[in-house]
Amino acid sequence: MAILRRGLLLCLLSAPVLAQAPAPAQRQRLTLEQMFEALRHAPDDASARAVEAQIWQVWIQGGSPAVQLLMRRGIRHLESRSLEDAIEDFNAVIALAPELPEGWNKRATAYYLAGDYQNALRDIRETLAREPRHFGALVGLSHILEADGDPRGALRAYEQALAIHPRLAGHEQRLKDLRRKALGEES
């Protein structure tokens, strides 16, 4: 269980935190649709990571300056494992901007790390209702289902994440492990 939590935390916290404003050459804004298309067809891992970082930035940077401040603070609390404080910050993000999927996703992460899978699942559902392509939420869902003893559900969720982001970090080993647990495959 601790390994699962550590793996999920690394995955979710590896998402870039609010970066500085992009340089003028980088100001060509791709739409999320274009970014997801580029992610699906990335020729290599480095290209996929670059597009993934852009997607996370869009997700994290939504909302008013107050929402962004709360998001940054909540992420810092997550990183320092101050989970109650993180949940409080993400509660405020959701109250101010309930339409933003990342507020729900980050609170789901905090609940997951606190061992509150029921609330984490609820927030993942809210995240996916707002952004069905949220590969981070699908990876989180996979970890929760696995921890809850549903390896087939975990595999399905992870396969959904891979359909969106075929070059997820560590995907080959994770997929192999889930297939072994869910289907008894030793590939």
Side-chain angles (χ1 to χ4, degrees):
M1 182 89 70
I3 292 172
L4 285 175
R5 284 189 183 168
R6 204 170 321 122
L8 178 60
L9 180 62
L10 289 174
C11 175
L12 295 175
L13 291 181
S14 68
V17 179
L18 294 170
Q20 300 299 323
Q26 296 175 321
R27 289 187 196 210
Q28 299 172 350
R29 294 246 183 227
L30 295 175
T31 66
L32 268 177
E33 289 72 26
Q34 291 169 322
M35 289 181 207
F36 278 108
E37 187 65 21
L39 187 62
R40 272 189 297 280
H41 300 292
D44 54 45
D45 288 345
S47 299
R49 297 289 164 264
V51 174
E52 177 184 339
Q54 290 176 340
I55 291 169
W56 281 110
Q57 287 302 311
V58 169
W59 286 340
I60 291 172
Q61 291 182 347
S64 68
V67 167
Q68 290 179 26
L69 174 70
L70 288 162
M71 184 72 78
R72 282 192 304 268
R73 194 170 73 179
I75 290 169
R76 280 194 307 273
H77 287 304
L78 268 179
E79 290 169 345
S80 68
R81 297 297 192 123
S82 300
L83 301 178
E84 288 180 24
D85 292 330
I87 290 168
E88 183 177 315
D89 288 334
F90 298 130
N91 284 341
V93 167
I94 291 166
L96 293 171
E99 73 283 0
L100 295 178
E102 198 53 26
W104 296 94
N105 184 59
K106 290 296 189 234
R107 190 173 73 177
T109 302
Y111 279 134
Y112 174 82
L113 293 172
D116 185 348
Y117 296 160
Q118 182 177 353
N119 279 322
L121 282 171
R122 182 200 64 218
D123 282 358
I124 286 172
R125 285 188 202 101
E126 293 291 342
T127 302
L128 293 171
R130 288 158 177 78
E131 177 52 83
R133 303 167 297 189
H134 202 299
F135 50 84
L138 288 165
V139 169
L141 177 60
S142 175
H143 282 279
I144 291 169
L145 293 173
E146 182 181 14
D148 273 350
D150 182 3
R152 288 180 187 259
L155 177 60
R156 279 191 304 275
Y158 199 73
E159 286 173 337
Q160 286 178 301
L162 284 175
I164 297 162
H165 186 345
R167 293 181 177 273
L168 278 167
H171 74 276
E172 291 171 352
Q173 186 62 49
R174 174 96 175 121
L175 192 57
K176 180 181 175 182
D177 292 344
L178 286 172
R179 284 184 175 152
R180 181 182 44 77
K181 288 176 183 177
L183 309 171
E185 292 181 12
E186 290 293 332
S187 49

